[in-house]
Amino acid sequence: GQNIDQPTEMTATEGAIVQINCTYQTSGFNGLFWYQQHAGEAPTFLSYNVLDGLEEKGRFSSFLSRSKGYSYLLLKELQMKDSASYLCAVRDGDYKLSFGAGTTVTVRA
Amino acid sequence: ETGVTQTPRHLVMGMTNKKSLKCEQHLGHNAMYWYKQSAKKPLELMFVYSLEERVENNSVPSRFSPECPNSSHLFLHLHTLQPEDSALYLCASSQDWSSGANVLTFGAGSRLTVL
């Protein structure tokens, strides 16, 4: 089966940096995704990694190491609106995405 | 409207009722999905349709019945549900599986409560 682990909760201060780790053990690998989900809203796509290394998109960066089954999402210059759940997901075929349970990030003033 | 729209946003039903969830996408995508999201649990893939053909039925109980009449619309028909079926049901769509990342676009979900 698929196993995707990420911390349940994290708290950080406005303006700080937070790193959300994700480890996975899946039967196949065809890309890793990060989604953001605010309470009561749709998950929205943040990033996609299929090769090892760092992908940077403004204040958000995502890193992948396929050999270690490991990824992280880095959120810089935290803002109050970044308080949300962050979902790590691995695609192991053409279309099948397996998700972690999500990490709830709370940003405090 | 743009994106993926789900109706109703909230639904309360008894165990003997029959109801349907509706999903509509205005993105020109070819694949549509139903996911179940329970509190503190990972999203669970339920059904996948590609060009209106079902390609995944992930061991879902028969009390959930999907329907995809065309590539823009997806339904989830519900009957004789159990209280443990109470959850957020998310619909998603994607371009197609040959296009690189195949990013999913989600709707806001239908919050289902079974009494």
Side-chain angles (χ1 to χ4, degrees):
Chain A
Q2 317 295 52
N3 192 25
I4 299 170
D5 289 319
Q6 52 182 129
T8 305
E9 294 179 339
M10 300 183 76
T11 301
T13 307
E14 200 174 11
I17 298 173
V18 70
Q19 177 174 314
I20 306 170
N21 296 325
C22 172
T23 58
Y24 63 89
Q25 291 175 303
T26 55
S27 54
F29 182 83
N30 196 16
L32 187 141
F33 298 77
W34 286 95
Y35 282 82
Q36 179 192 59
Q37 186 178 22
H38 287 99
E41 297 183 14
T44 55
F45 170 73
L46 287 179
S47 68
Y48 168 68
N49 295 70
V50 67
L51 299 176
D52 290 353
L54 188 69
E55 295 281 342
E56 296 188 80
K57 253 191 206 181
R59 294 188 299 113
F60 292 2
S61 304
S62 57
F63 172 83
L64 174 67
S65 169
R66 289 171 296 169
S67 62
K68 295 181 180 176
Y70 168 70
S71 173
Y72 67 73
L73 180 69
L74 195 69
L75 286 63
K76 298 180 232 179
E77 300 168 21
L78 278 174
Q79 301 175 10
M80 299 301 287
K81 66 178 181 179
D82 297 330
S83 292
S85 182
Y86 292 85
L87 311 177
C88 175
V90 174
R91 190 171 77 200
D92 65 1
D94 283 338
Y95 58 82
K96 193 162 187 176
L97 270 188
S98 296
F99 283 84
T103 300
T104 300
V105 171
T106 302
V107 181
R108 293 184 175 166
Chain B
E1 286 202 52
T2 59
V4 180
T5 304
Q6 291 188 242
T7 54
R9 291 294 309 276
H10 299 274
L11 178 63
V12 179
M13 59 187 289
M15 292 166 62
T16 57
N17 291 157
K18 285 186 181 181
K19 298 285 184 184
S20 296
L21 306 180
K22 178 182 175 183
C23 176
E24 185 173 0
Q25 58 98 358
H26 308 270
L27 300 167
H29 287 169
N30 293 321
M32 296 188 78
Y33 310 73
W34 279 116
Y35 278 87
K36 176 183 178 183
Q37 187 175 35
S38 303
K40 306 298 183 186
K41 291 185 179 178
L43 270 71
E44 300 172 46
L45 179 63
M46 300 176 72
F47 301 103
V48 181
Y49 279 82
S50 173
L51 296 171
E52 301 126 60
E53 181 180 337
R54 191 191 307 181
V55 295
E56 177 84 23
N57 177 3
N58 209 20
S59 303
V60 178
S62 59
R63 57 186 183 269
F64 295 92
S65 174
E67 179 190 359
C68 188
N70 55 62
S71 59
S72 298
H73 293 86
L74 185 65
F75 295 89
L76 188 63
H77 303 300
L78 315 169
H79 62 99
T80 59
L81 294 191
Q82 305 298 311
E84 60 265 27
D85 296 324
S86 298
L88 182 68
Y89 289 85
L90 290 165
C91 174
S93 69
S94 67
Q95 180 63 42
D96 63 60
W97 305 330
S98 63
S99 62
N102 190 40
V103 174
L104 298 186
T105 300
F106 284 90
S110 294
R111 171 72 61 188
L112 173 66
T113 303
V114 181
L115 302 176

